[in-house]
Amino acid sequence: MKNNALYYPSISLKNPPLIKTMALFYENIYRIKPDGVKLDDSKDLAALLEEGSVGRTIAPNDYSKEASAKFLAKKDNWSAAALCLGEEEEN
């Protein structure tokens, strides 16, 4: 069994079949939850959420500035279409 998984890109756990299946394979299922975001999890997951191994939160406050600086410093070396500037952004 793998130890940990990150549920991404969503914060709230809305897909009980997927989460329950993940719980069979991972000891802990984490999610990134910024301050001020309200969770809206499925009621069908209440038992797993209470148990605590599913839905553990990681607050990005401690590392978001450093991570974004590293990302922006390296983006010029990548050639992904999503990172290309559009005409309106080039000027």
Side-chain angles (χ1 to χ4, degrees), residues 67-85:
S68 63
K70 285 181 181 179
F71 176 85
L72 292 172
K74 293 182 179 184
K75 79 172 182 71
D76 291 336
N77 298 328
W78 299 333
S79 60
L83 296 175
C84 296
L85 297 176

Side-chain angles (χ1 to χ4, degrees), residues 20-70:
K20 289 176 181 180
T21 301
M22 288 178 70
L24 294 173
F25 292 96
Y26 298 100
E27 292 177 27
N28 300 295
I29 301 172
Y30 291 90
R31 56 183 158 184
I32 298 171
K33 181 192 166 291
D35 289 341
V37 173
K38 286 186 87 175
L39 298 174
D40 185 25
D41 298 324
S42 171
K43 293 176 183 171
D44 293 339
L45 297 170
L48 286 173
L49 292 166
E50 271 183 35
E51 186 264 327
S53 63
V54 172
R56 292 182 178 199
T57 60
I58 299 171
N61 308 3
D62 296 337
Y63 62 86
S64 60
K65 287 183 183 176
E66 182 182 344
S68 63
K70 285 181 181 179

Side-chain angles (χ1 to χ4, degrees), residues 6-17:
L6 176 64
Y7 186 76
Y8 180 85
S10 189
I11 296 171
S12 293
L13 305 175
K14 297 271 195 183
N15 187 337

Side-chain angles (χ1 to χ4, degrees), residues 83-91:
L83 296 175
C84 296
L85 297 176
E87 289 179 25
E88 65 277 355
E89 297 179 49
E90 289 179 1
N91 298 325

